[in-house]
Amino acid sequence: MMSISAEKMKEIYELVKTPYKYGAVVKEEEYLTDSPSVFWYHDKWYMYYIMIHKKMEQSGYETHLASSENLVDWKYEGKVFERTKDNRWDSKQIAGYAAFCDCHFGGSNILQPVNQQYYIAYLGGNLNGYETDPLSIGLSYSDCPIGKFKRLEKPILAPYDEDAREFEKLTLYKSNMLIDEDLVTGYRYVNAYNAKGTDYKERIYLAVSDDGEHWERYLNKPIIDGTQEDETLKISGDPQIVKIDDIYVMFFFRMIQGGGAFNTFACSENLVDWTIWNGKPLIESEYEWENVFAHKSYVVKHNQIVYHYYCAVNDKGERFIALATSEELLK
C-alpha cells in the first residue's frame, strides 16, 4: 500500500485549512438545505444544492440553483430537478451534484463537457422521507449547465446490481465524478461515492467509465472505510476529489456514533491507497448555530483564497449551507 508522508499531509493541511467561519450563506426557513457543489460558468459562480421540506414524511430531495458574484452572497435562481407524480425510480428523491468539474485545486472551477454535454449525477429514489432506502445513482445531461437537464431512464449504479459490493447493498449516496487525465485507474472517468450496507454504516467506493455514461465498479472493497479500526465510526461520506500537483486530495466527512460529524481529508497518488489526515478536522462544530453537525464539504480555491462550503446542523432543527475561508473576508 502506498502512503503519503506525515510531512506532505501537514503541507496539504496548511494549503486547504479554512479557520474563518461566516455562518449561513444558503438557508430556508421551511426547508433543510444541503450538499452544495460550486462551479464557474459565463462570468458568474453557480451552486447546485439540495433541499427537503422539514415535514419530511411527505417530502423528498429536490435540486436547486443559486448564483453569486463573489462566492459569499448567493441569489436563488430556481429548481433544477423536482419531484414528480409519475412512477419512475427517481420520482420522489432527486438530489443532484455537479459532475466533471475541473478538479485542479485553484484551477478554472468550470464544468467540463463530456460527449458535448454537461452532466449532473444524482441520488434518486421513489419513496418519500429523508434518504429513505433504497437509493441509487442516476445521471442527467444538458447542453447548458444552468438549463434543463434530461435524465437517463435507468440508474447507472444501484444497490441491487449483481456486482454490488458487500457494504453497498442498501443505498448509494453522493457521487463525485471527475476526469482523470493521468488514467491512474486505466479509465478517464472516475466516480467516488459513499454507500450503505446492511450494517447501516457508510464507506466510500470507486466506479470507473470509458465514456462518462456507462459505469462499472472498481475494486472489490471500499477506498475509505475505517469501521474495522473504530467500531464507533458510522459514516465516511460525501467525497470531493481535487488535485494538488501530483497528489489527489479527497475532502469527506466522518460521523462518529454519539460524537457528531466533521470534515477531514485524505491524500493519494493513485486514487486507491489513501492516507487519512489524523490532525485537527478541517471543519467541526464550534458555534451554537452548528452545534449538532458541521459536515459535507465542497471546497473551491479562487484568487488564492480557499472557500469551504459545508452543511451546518443545530439543535433548533435548522440545516443550512455555511461557509468557511482560508483568509478573513469580512471585518
Side-chain angles (χ1 to χ4, degrees), residues 22-73:
Y22 301 97
V25 293
V26 177
K27 184 178 181 181
E28 297 288 342
E29 293 303 319
E30 299 299 321
Y31 292 83
L32 307 179
T33 59
D34 211 334
S35 295
S37 47
V38 176
F39 60 94
W40 177 258
Y41 180 70
H42 283 188
D43 300 322
K44 191 179 288 188
W45 295 99
Y46 288 93
M47 176 193 293
Y48 300 138
Y49 65 99
I50 65 178
M51 293 201 303
I52 184 172
H53 198 280
K54 288 184 177 179
K55 296 179 180 178
M56 290 179 285
E57 295 79 5
Q58 297 300 318
S59 186
Y61 280 138
E62 295 182 316
T63 306
H64 298 255
L65 181 71
S67 66
S68 177
E69 303 286 345
N70 59 9
L71 288 167
V72 177
D73 304 301

Short mmCIF file of all heavy atoms in Angstrom, two decimals, residues 22-73:
data_model
loop_
_atom_site.label_atom_id
_atom_site.label_comp_id
_atom_site.label_asym_id
_atom_site.label_seq_id
_atom_site.Cartn_x
_atom_site.Cartn_y
_atom_site.Cartn_z
N TYR A 22 -18.32 32.04 8.58
CA TYR A 22 -19.25 33.14 8.35
C TYR A 22 -20.71 32.77 8.55
O TYR A 22 -21.58 33.58 8.29
CB TYR A 22 -19.04 33.69 6.93
CG TYR A 22 -17.64 34.16 6.71
CD1 TYR A 22 -16.69 33.33 6.11
CD2 TYR A 22 -17.22 35.40 7.15
CE1 TYR A 22 -15.39 33.74 5.94
CE2 TYR A 22 -15.92 35.83 6.99
CZ TYR A 22 -15.00 35.00 6.39
OH TYR A 22 -13.70 35.40 6.23
N GLY A 23 -20.98 31.55 8.95
CA GLY A 23 -22.37 31.15 9.14
C GLY A 23 -23.07 30.86 7.82
O GLY A 23 -22.43 30.52 6.81
N ALA A 24 -24.38 31.00 7.81
CA ALA A 24 -25.20 30.58 6.68
C ALA A 24 -24.98 31.47 5.45
O ALA A 24 -24.95 32.69 5.55
CB ALA A 24 -26.67 30.59 7.07
N VAL A 25 -24.85 30.82 4.29
CA VAL A 25 -24.87 31.54 3.02
C VAL A 25 -26.07 31.12 2.17
O VAL A 25 -26.47 31.85 1.27
CB VAL A 25 -23.56 31.36 2.22
CG1 VAL A 25 -22.41 32.02 2.95
CG2 VAL A 25 -23.25 29.89 1.94
N VAL A 26 -26.63 29.94 2.43
CA VAL A 26 -27.88 29.50 1.79
C VAL A 26 -28.73 28.86 2.89
O VAL A 26 -28.33 27.86 3.48
CB VAL A 26 -27.64 28.49 0.66
CG1 VAL A 26 -28.98 27.99 0.10
CG2 VAL A 26 -26.79 29.10 -0.44
N LYS A 27 -29.90 29.45 3.13
CA LYS A 27 -30.74 28.98 4.24
C LYS A 27 -32.20 29.25 3.91
O LYS A 27 -32.54 30.32 3.39
CB LYS A 27 -30.34 29.69 5.54
CG LYS A 27 -31.07 29.20 6.78
CD LYS A 27 -30.57 29.95 8.01
CE LYS A 27 -31.27 29.47 9.27
NZ LYS A 27 -30.80 30.21 10.47
N GLU A 28 -33.09 28.29 4.21
CA GLU A 28 -34.52 28.43 4.02
C GLU A 28 -35.24 28.07 5.32
O GLU A 28 -34.87 27.08 5.97
CB GLU A 28 -35.01 27.52 2.89
CG GLU A 28 -34.44 27.85 1.52
CD GLU A 28 -35.00 29.12 0.93
OE1 GLU A 28 -36.08 29.57 1.40
OE2 GLU A 28 -34.38 29.67 0.00
N GLU A 29 -36.25 28.82 5.67
CA GLU A 29 -36.93 28.61 6.94
C GLU A 29 -37.69 27.29 7.00
O GLU A 29 -37.69 26.60 8.02
CB GLU A 29 -37.87 29.79 7.25
CG GLU A 29 -37.16 31.09 7.51
CD GLU A 29 -36.17 31.00 8.67
OE1 GLU A 29 -36.51 30.36 9.68
OE2 GLU A 29 -35.05 31.54 8.53
N GLU A 30 -38.35 26.92 5.91
CA GLU A 30 -39.21 25.73 5.91
C GLU A 30 -38.51 24.49 5.36
O GLU A 30 -39.10 23.42 5.35
CB GLU A 30 -40.48 26.00 5.08
CG GLU A 30 -41.34 27.13 5.63
CD GLU A 30 -41.85 26.82 7.03
OE1 GLU A 30 -42.20 25.65 7.30
OE2 GLU A 30 -41.87 27.75 7.87
N TYR A 31 -37.28 24.68 4.93
CA TYR A 31 -36.58 23.58 4.29
C TYR A 31 -35.21 23.35 4.93
O TYR A 31 -34.63 24.26 5.52
CB TYR A 31 -36.38 23.87 2.79
CG TYR A 31 -37.66 23.86 2.00
CD1 TYR A 31 -38.47 25.00 1.96
CD2 TYR A 31 -38.05 22.74 1.28
CE1 TYR A 31 -39.65 25.00 1.23
CE2 TYR A 31 -39.22 22.73 0.55
CZ TYR A 31 -40.02 23.86 0.52
OH TYR A 31 -41.18 23.85 -0.20
N LEU A 32 -34.71 22.13 4.76
CA LEU A 32 -33.34 21.80 5.12
C LEU A 32 -32.51 21.86 3.85
O LEU A 32 -32.86 21.24 2.85
CB LEU A 32 -33.28 20.39 5.73
CG LEU A 32 -34.23 20.11 6.90
CD1 LEU A 32 -34.06 18.66 7.36
CD2 LEU A 32 -34.01 21.07 8.05
N THR A 33 -31.42 22.63 3.85
CA THR A 33 -30.56 22.75 2.68
C THR A 33 -29.26 21.99 2.92
O THR A 33 -28.78 21.88 4.05
CB THR A 33 -30.25 24.22 2.36
OG1 THR A 33 -29.60 24.83 3.48
CG2 THR A 33 -31.52 24.99 2.06
N ASP A 34 -28.67 21.49 1.83
CA ASP A 34 -27.61 20.51 1.99
C ASP A 34 -26.79 20.40 0.70
O ASP A 34 -27.21 20.84 -0.36
CB ASP A 34 -28.26 19.15 2.30
CG ASP A 34 -27.41 18.26 3.17
OD1 ASP A 34 -26.18 18.41 3.16
OD2 ASP A 34 -27.99 17.40 3.86
N SER A 35 -25.62 19.79 0.81
CA SER A 35 -24.82 19.25 -0.30
C SER A 35 -24.60 20.22 -1.45
O SER A 35 -25.06 19.97 -2.58
CB SER A 35 -25.45 17.96 -0.81
OG SER A 35 -25.42 16.97 0.18
N PRO A 36 -23.86 21.31 -1.24
CA PRO A 36 -23.58 22.22 -2.34
C PRO A 36 -22.50 21.68 -3.28
O PRO A 36 -21.63 20.92 -2.88
CB PRO A 36 -23.05 23.47 -1.62
CG PRO A 36 -22.39 22.91 -0.39
CD PRO A 36 -23.24 21.74 0.02
N SER A 37 -22.56 22.07 -4.55
CA SER A 37 -21.44 21.91 -5.48
C SER A 37 -21.36 23.20 -6.30
O SER A 37 -22.36 23.65 -6.85
CB SER A 37 -21.57 20.66 -6.35
OG SER A 37 -22.85 20.52 -6.91
N VAL A 38 -20.18 23.78 -6.36
CA VAL A 38 -19.98 25.15 -6.86
C VAL A 38 -19.10 25.12 -8.11
O VAL A 38 -18.10 24.40 -8.16
CB VAL A 38 -19.33 26.01 -5.76
CG1 VAL A 38 -19.02 27.41 -6.27
CG2 VAL A 38 -20.24 26.09 -4.52
N PHE A 39 -19.47 25.94 -9.11
CA PHE A 39 -18.71 25.98 -10.36
C PHE A 39 -18.82 27.35 -11.00
O PHE A 39 -19.69 28.17 -10.65
CB PHE A 39 -19.19 24.89 -11.31
CG PHE A 39 -20.65 25.01 -11.71
CD1 PHE A 39 -21.02 25.67 -12.87
CD2 PHE A 39 -21.65 24.45 -10.92
CE1 PHE A 39 -22.36 25.79 -13.24
CE2 PHE A 39 -22.99 24.56 -11.28
CZ PHE A 39 -23.34 25.23 -12.44
N TRP A 40 -17.92 27.61 -11.96
CA TRP A 40 -17.86 28.87 -12.69
C TRP A 40 -18.41 28.68 -14.09
O TRP A 40 -18.06 27.73 -14.78
CB TRP A 40 -16.40 29.34 -12.76
CG TRP A 40 -16.16 30.60 -13.54
CD1 TRP A 40 -15.67 30.69 -14.80
CD2 TRP A 40 -16.37 31.94 -13.10
NE1 TRP A 40 -15.55 32.00 -15.19
CE2 TRP A 40 -15.98 32.80 -14.16
CE3 TRP A 40 -16.84 32.52 -11.92
CZ2 TRP A 40 -16.05 34.19 -14.06
CZ3 TRP A 40 -16.91 33.89 -11.82
CH2 TRP A 40 -16.52 34.72 -12.88
N TYR A 41 -19.31 29.61 -14.49
CA TYR A 41 -19.89 29.50 -15.82
C TYR A 41 -20.28 30.89 -16.31
O TYR A 41 -21.04 31.60 -15.64
CB TYR A 41 -21.13 28.59 -15.80
CG TYR A 41 -21.80 28.42 -17.14
CD1 TYR A 41 -21.19 27.70 -18.17
CD2 TYR A 41 -23.04 29.00 -17.39
CE1 TYR A 41 -21.81 27.55 -19.40
CE2 TYR A 41 -23.67 28.85 -18.62
CZ TYR A 41 -23.04 28.12 -19.62
OH TYR A 41 -23.66 27.99 -20.85
N HIS A 42 -19.74 31.28 -17.45
CA HIS A 42 -20.09 32.55 -18.10
C HIS A 42 -20.01 33.74 -17.13
O HIS A 42 -20.99 34.46 -16.92
CB HIS A 42 -21.47 32.46 -18.74
CG HIS A 42 -21.46 31.71 -20.04
ND1 HIS A 42 -22.55 31.64 -20.88
CD2 HIS A 42 -20.49 30.96 -20.64
CE1 HIS A 42 -22.25 30.91 -21.95
NE2 HIS A 42 -21.00 30.48 -21.82
N ASP A 43 -18.85 33.92 -16.53
CA ASP A 43 -18.57 35.10 -15.70
C ASP A 43 -19.37 35.17 -14.41
O ASP A 43 -19.60 36.25 -13.85
CB ASP A 43 -18.80 36.40 -16.49
CG ASP A 43 -17.89 36.48 -17.72
OD1 ASP A 43 -16.73 36.05 -17.61
OD2 ASP A 43 -18.36 36.95 -18.77
N LYS A 44 -19.80 34.02 -13.91
CA LYS A 44 -20.54 34.01 -12.64
C LYS A 44 -20.35 32.66 -11.96
O LYS A 44 -20.09 31.65 -12.61
CB LYS A 44 -22.04 34.26 -12.89
CG LYS A 44 -22.86 34.53 -11.65
CD LYS A 44 -24.32 34.81 -11.98
CE LYS A 44 -24.49 36.17 -12.63
NZ LYS A 44 -25.93 36.52 -12.78
N TRP A 45 -20.47 32.67 -10.65
CA TRP A 45 -20.44 31.43 -9.88
C TRP A 45 -21.86 30.88 -9.75
O TRP A 45 -22.82 31.63 -9.60
CB TRP A 45 -19.87 31.68 -8.47
CG TRP A 45 -18.43 32.09 -8.50
CD1 TRP A 45 -17.94 33.36 -8.41
CD2 TRP A 45 -17.30 31.23 -8.65
NE1 TRP A 45 -16.56 33.34 -8.50
CE2 TRP A 45 -16.15 32.04 -8.64
CE3 TRP A 45 -17.15 29.85 -8.79
CZ2 TRP A 45 -14.86 31.53 -8.76
CZ3 TRP A 45 -15.87 29.33 -8.92
CH2 TRP A 45 -14.75 30.16 -8.90
N TYR A 46 -21.95 29.55 -9.78
CA TYR A 46 -23.24 28.89 -9.58
C TYR A 46 -23.08 27.77 -8.56
O TYR A 46 -21.98 27.21 -8.39
CB TYR A 46 -23.77 28.32 -10.89
CG TYR A 46 -24.25 29.38 -11.85
CD1 TYR A 46 -23.39 29.90 -12.82
CD2 TYR A 46 -25.54 29.88 -11.78
CE1 TYR A 46 -23.81 30.89 -13.69
CE2 TYR A 46 -25.99 30.86 -12.66
CZ TYR A 46 -25.12 31.37 -13.60
OH TYR A 46 -25.54 32.35 -14.46
N MET A 47 -24.17 27.46 -7.91
CA MET A 47 -24.19 26.39 -6.92
C MET A 47 -25.42 25.51 -7.14
O MET A 47 -26.56 26.02 -7.14
CB MET A 47 -24.25 26.95 -5.49
CG MET A 47 -24.36 25.89 -4.40
SD MET A 47 -24.81 26.57 -2.77
CE MET A 47 -23.36 27.54 -2.37
N TYR A 48 -25.20 24.22 -7.37
CA TYR A 48 -26.28 23.26 -7.22
C TYR A 48 -26.34 22.88 -5.74
O TYR A 48 -25.31 22.69 -5.10
CB TYR A 48 -26.01 21.97 -8.00
CG TYR A 48 -25.84 22.09 -9.49
CD1 TYR A 48 -24.84 21.37 -10.14
CD2 TYR A 48 -26.68 22.89 -10.25
CE1 TYR A 48 -24.67 21.45 -11.51
CE2 TYR A 48 -26.51 22.97 -11.63
CZ TYR A 48 -25.51 22.25 -12.25
OH TYR A 48 -25.34 22.33 -13.61
N TYR A 49 -27.54 22.76 -5.20
CA TYR A 49 -27.68 22.28 -3.84
C TYR A 49 -29.04 21.61 -3.70
O TYR A 49 -29.90 21.73 -4.58
CB TYR A 49 -27.50 23.40 -2.81
CG TYR A 49 -28.56 24.49 -2.87
CD1 TYR A 49 -29.64 24.50 -1.97
CD2 TYR A 49 -28.48 25.52 -3.80
CE1 TYR A 49 -30.60 25.50 -2.02
CE2 TYR A 49 -29.44 26.52 -3.85
CZ TYR A 49 -30.49 26.50 -2.96
OH TYR A 49 -31.45 27.49 -3.00
N ILE A 50 -29.23 20.89 -2.62
CA ILE A 50 -30.46 20.13 -2.46
C ILE A 50 -31.25 20.60 -1.25
O ILE A 50 -30.69 21.15 -0.30
CB ILE A 50 -30.17 18.61 -2.37
CG1 ILE A 50 -29.38 18.27 -1.11
CG2 ILE A 50 -29.40 18.15 -3.60
CD1 ILE A 50 -29.10 16.77 -0.95
N MET A 51 -32.57 20.41 -1.33
CA MET A 51 -33.45 20.80 -0.22
C MET A 51 -34.51 19.73 -0.01
O MET A 51 -34.93 19.05 -0.95
CB MET A 51 -34.13 22.14 -0.49
CG MET A 51 -33.21 23.34 -0.51
SD MET A 51 -34.04 24.93 -0.21
CE MET A 51 -35.28 24.97 -1.51
N ILE A 52 -34.95 19.63 1.22
CA ILE A 52 -36.08 18.79 1.58
C ILE A 52 -36.92 19.54 2.59
O ILE A 52 -36.38 20.23 3.48
CB ILE A 52 -35.62 17.42 2.14
CG1 ILE A 52 -36.82 16.51 2.42
CG2 ILE A 52 -34.74 17.58 3.36
CD1 ILE A 52 -36.43 15.07 2.80
N HIS A 53 -38.24 19.48 2.47
CA HIS A 53 -39.13 20.17 3.40
C HIS A 53 -38.98 19.58 4.79
O HIS A 53 -38.74 18.37 4.94
CB HIS A 53 -40.59 20.06 2.92
CG HIS A 53 -41.50 21.07 3.56
ND1 HIS A 53 -42.02 20.91 4.83
CD2 HIS A 53 -41.96 22.27 3.10
CE1 HIS A 53 -42.78 21.95 5.13
NE2 HIS A 53 -42.76 22.80 4.11
N LYS A 54 -39.12 20.42 5.79
CA LYS A 54 -38.98 19.93 7.16
C LYS A 54 -40.04 18.90 7.52
O LYS A 54 -39.83 18.07 8.42
CB LYS A 54 -39.03 21.11 8.14
CG LYS A 54 -37.77 21.97 8.11
CD LYS A 54 -37.81 23.07 9.15
CE LYS A 54 -36.52 23.88 9.14
NZ LYS A 54 -36.53 24.97 10.14
N LYS A 55 -41.17 18.91 6.83
CA LYS A 55 -42.18 17.86 7.01
C LYS A 55 -41.77 16.70 6.09
O LYS A 55 -42.36 16.47 5.03
CB LYS A 55 -43.56 18.38 6.67
CG LYS A 55 -44.03 19.49 7.61
CD LYS A 55 -45.42 20.00 7.24
CE LYS A 55 -45.87 21.10 8.19
NZ LYS A 55 -47.21 21.64 7.81
N MET A 56 -40.78 15.97 6.52
CA MET A 56 -40.10 15.03 5.64
C MET A 56 -40.92 13.80 5.26
O MET A 56 -40.65 13.15 4.26
CB MET A 56 -38.78 14.60 6.28
CG MET A 56 -37.75 15.70 6.31
SD MET A 56 -36.20 15.20 7.10
CE MET A 56 -36.67 15.20 8.83
N GLU A 57 -41.96 13.47 6.04
CA GLU A 57 -42.72 12.25 5.77
C GLU A 57 -43.37 12.29 4.39
O GLU A 57 -43.55 11.26 3.75
CB GLU A 57 -43.78 12.02 6.85
CG GLU A 57 -43.23 11.76 8.23
CD GLU A 57 -42.79 13.04 8.94
OE1 GLU A 57 -43.02 14.13 8.39
OE2 GLU A 57 -42.20 12.94 10.03
N GLN A 58 -43.75 13.49 3.95
CA GLN A 58 -44.38 13.63 2.64
C GLN A 58 -43.52 14.47 1.71
O GLN A 58 -44.00 15.18 0.83
CB GLN A 58 -45.77 14.28 2.80
CG GLN A 58 -46.73 13.45 3.59
CD GLN A 58 -46.98 12.08 2.95
OE1 GLN A 58 -47.13 11.98 1.74
NE2 GLN A 58 -47.03 11.04 3.76
N SER A 59 -42.22 14.39 1.90
CA SER A 59 -41.30 15.17 1.10
C SER A 59 -40.16 14.30 0.62
O SER A 59 -40.15 13.09 0.84
CB SER A 59 -40.78 16.36 1.93
OG SER A 59 -39.99 17.21 1.14
N GLY A 60 -39.20 14.93 -0.04
CA GLY A 60 -38.00 14.25 -0.53
C GLY A 60 -37.07 15.28 -1.13
O GLY A 60 -37.42 16.45 -1.31
N TYR A 61 -35.87 14.85 -1.46
CA TYR A 61 -34.88 15.77 -2.00
C TYR A 61 -35.28 16.31 -3.37
O TYR A 61 -35.73 15.57 -4.25
CB TYR A 61 -33.53 15.08 -2.16
CG TYR A 61 -32.72 14.95 -0.90
CD1 TYR A 61 -32.05 13.76 -0.61
CD2 TYR A 61 -32.58 16.01 0.00
CE1 TYR A 61 -31.27 13.62 0.52
CE2 TYR A 61 -31.81 15.89 1.15
CZ TYR A 61 -31.16 14.69 1.41
OH TYR A 61 -30.39 14.55 2.53
N GLU A 62 -35.06 17.61 -3.57
CA GLU A 62 -35.09 18.24 -4.87
C GLU A 62 -33.79 19.04 -5.03
O GLU A 62 -33.13 19.35 -4.05
CB GLU A 62 -36.30 19.16 -5.02
CG GLU A 62 -37.63 18.43 -4.98
CD GLU A 62 -38.82 19.34 -5.17
OE1 GLU A 62 -38.84 20.42 -4.54
OE2 GLU A 62 -39.73 18.98 -5.93
N THR A 63 -33.47 19.40 -6.28
CA THR A 63 -32.21 20.09 -6.56
C THR A 63 -32.49 21.51 -7.00
O THR A 63 -33.39 21.76 -7.81
CB THR A 63 -31.43 19.35 -7.65
OG1 THR A 63 -31.27 17.98 -7.26
CG2 THR A 63 -30.06 19.96 -7.86
N HIS A 64 -31.69 22.46 -6.48
CA HIS A 64 -31.90 23.88 -6.74
C HIS A 64 -30.61 24.53 -7.23
O HIS A 64 -29.53 23.96 -7.13
CB HIS A 64 -32.40 24.57 -5.47
CG HIS A 64 -33.72 24.05 -4.99
ND1 HIS A 64 -34.90 24.73 -5.15
CD2 HIS A 64 -34.04 22.88 -4.37
CE1 HIS A 64 -35.90 24.02 -4.63
NE2 HIS A 64 -35.39 22.89 -4.16
N LEU A 65 -30.76 25.76 -7.73
CA LEU A 65 -29.64 26.51 -8.30
C LEU A 65 -29.59 27.90 -7.70
O LEU A 65 -30.62 28.58 -7.56
CB LEU A 65 -29.81 26.61 -9.82
CG LEU A 65 -28.71 27.35 -10.59
CD1 LEU A 65 -27.42 26.53 -10.61
CD2 LEU A 65 -29.17 27.64 -12.03
N ALA A 66 -28.38 28.34 -7.34
CA ALA A 66 -28.15 29.72 -6.88
C ALA A 66 -26.95 30.28 -7.63
O ALA A 66 -26.13 29.53 -8.17
CB ALA A 66 -27.92 29.75 -5.37
N SER A 67 -26.83 31.61 -7.64
CA SER A 67 -25.72 32.26 -8.32
C SER A 67 -25.06 33.27 -7.40
O SER A 67 -25.66 33.74 -6.42
CB SER A 67 -26.19 32.95 -9.61
OG SER A 67 -27.06 34.02 -9.30
N SER A 68 -23.81 33.63 -7.74
CA SER A 68 -23.06 34.56 -6.90
C SER A 68 -22.02 35.30 -7.73
O SER A 68 -21.47 34.74 -8.69
CB SER A 68 -22.36 33.81 -5.76
OG SER A 68 -21.57 34.69 -4.97
N GLU A 69 -21.74 36.53 -7.35
CA GLU A 69 -20.66 37.31 -7.97
C GLU A 69 -19.36 37.16 -7.20
O GLU A 69 -18.28 37.42 -7.74
CB GLU A 69 -21.06 38.79 -8.03
CG GLU A 69 -22.34 39.08 -8.78
CD GLU A 69 -22.19 38.94 -10.29
OE1 GLU A 69 -21.03 38.89 -10.75
OE2 GLU A 69 -23.22 38.90 -10.99
N ASN A 70 -19.46 36.75 -5.91
CA ASN A 70 -18.28 36.83 -5.03
C ASN A 70 -18.04 35.60 -4.17
O ASN A 70 -17.18 35.62 -3.29
CB ASN A 70 -18.39 38.06 -4.14
CG ASN A 70 -19.64 38.05 -3.26
OD1 ASN A 70 -20.37 37.04 -3.19
ND2 ASN A 70 -19.90 39.15 -2.60
N LEU A 71 -18.82 34.52 -4.37
CA LEU A 71 -18.71 33.27 -3.61
C LEU A 71 -19.19 33.39 -2.17
O LEU A 71 -19.11 32.42 -1.41
CB LEU A 71 -17.26 32.75 -3.63
CG LEU A 71 -16.79 32.16 -4.96
CD1 LEU A 71 -15.27 31.98 -4.96
CD2 LEU A 71 -17.48 30.83 -5.24
N VAL A 72 -19.72 34.54 -1.80
CA VAL A 72 -20.22 34.74 -0.43
C VAL A 72 -21.73 35.01 -0.44
O VAL A 72 -22.48 34.41 0.33
CB VAL A 72 -19.48 35.91 0.27
CG1 VAL A 72 -20.07 36.16 1.66
CG2 VAL A 72 -17.99 35.61 0.36
N ASP A 73 -22.17 35.93 -1.28
CA ASP A 73 -23.59 36.31 -1.36
C ASP A 73 -24.24 35.54 -2.51
O ASP A 73 -23.84 35.68 -3.66
CB ASP A 73 -23.72 37.82 -1.60
CG ASP A 73 -23.00 38.63 -0.53
OD1 ASP A 73 -23.35 38.47 0.66
OD2 ASP A 73 -22.09 39.40 -0.88
#
